[in-house]
Amino acid sequence: MALLSACGASDVFPLAPDLDGGTQDDGGDTSGDGNIVIDDTVQIAAPADIANEIDSVTFNPGDGSTPPTLSIGGAGFDVAGAPAEYVRKPGLDVPGFQAFTSQVDGDSRHYLAFVSEEDGIVAMAAGSGQFAQFLAGANFTRTGTYSEPLASNVPDLGSVTYTGTYVGILNRAGDQGDLLPPTGTSGNPVQIAEITGTTIVQADFSGDGGKNVIGGIFDRTVVDPIIDTDGDGTPDANAPVENLNFEITGLNEDGTFSGTVIKDDFTAVGGYAGAFAGQEATAVGGALKVNNHIDQLTDAPTTEYGAFTATR
């Protein structure tokens, strides 16, 4: 299956979706040097089917005097057998998320990653495309303490609403502006497309009938021009696409949760997972994976990995 060339084009060339699942243990912690680590040694992280190829993430948000740093390891993400170091790319930022990229040279894979940190929760999504294969995953972790809201600080019925941002990556070729020039016989690396949205999560901490979580991703927009919205034969940027809803699920005592993602027509299209963070649960974040969920993309199977953060 053809891929979008490094020089760019107006046509949509889908990448084969990656469905192997990968491996990932539970995770979530912070080391003493300021690095936030997500790997198989930590206790809160995404399940294996969402983490997929991503085995380890090390993110340092910086402190004002030093810039943020990111490295990602795993099958298809390692460089020379070690986690790859990513470069901060402010020009690729989307609302609520910092962008990072990694590309060894113009003939190798271009990796695009997004990271968000909010009140003790870190969420990320990353991926790449080349040789008709989409290597990607999403993850999250909690970096501090967690406690439920005090009953006196929770509205009637015990429900608390969180709002925030979302970013997803698709198995489609997006804006090719960050690719390095080819150095030889190019393998046509692809800068993957991204999608943004608004996160709304509602949590019932009252315990009446069981503590639970519900919500979704709304105002979803494909940033890159891959969908023809007006029928003129030319793909348009910022095309609106379907909502993703978080089917109601139980809230665990440690503030974690996981469940099924459904469309507005109740079709199940994937799964989500996340965790609350902070004293009195000031923030929430997580990750998801969905398949074949965008009606406007029918040229090939569609896969999306995404990350979200939100605050009260």
Side-chain angles (χ1 to χ4, degrees), residues 146 148-149 153-163 200-208 210-216 246 248-252 255-257 272 275-277 280-284 312:
Y146 161 75
E148 291 184 359
N153 294 333
V154 174
D156 292 343
L157 304 180
S159 180
V160 179
T161 299
Y162 298 75
T163 58
I200 300 177
V201 174
Q202 291 184 343
D204 182 356
F205 295 99
S206 69
D208 296 338
K211 300 172 185 179
N212 58 68
V213 176
I214 196 170
F246 299 161
I248 190 168
T249 191
L251 175 60
N252 300 319
T256 61
F257 54 88
Y272 70 96
F276 290 89
E280 296 198 54
T282 55
V284 65
R312 294 173 61 175

Side-chain angles (χ1 to χ4, degrees), residues 4-5 17 22 32 83 105 114 116 119 129 136 146 158 163 166 169 191 202 209 248 251 275 285 294 300 309:
L4 190 60
S5 67
D105 56 45
F114 294 97
S116 177
D119 286 359
Y146 161 75
T163 58
Y166 169 84
I169 53 174
Q191 184 176 337
Q202 291 184 343
I248 190 168
L251 175 60
I294 299 177
T309 58

Side-chain angles (χ1 to χ4, degrees), residues 155-198:
D156 292 343
L157 304 180
S159 180
V160 179
T161 299
Y162 298 75
T163 58
T165 55
Y166 169 84
V167 66
I169 53 174
L170 293 167
N171 64 327
R172 294 295 194 280
D175 176 6
Q176 306 303 290
D178 193 61
L179 294 176
L180 296 174
T183 59
T185 304
S186 176
N188 290 334
V190 170
Q191 184 176 337
I192 55 178
E194 67 249 29
I195 186 166
T196 61
T198 299

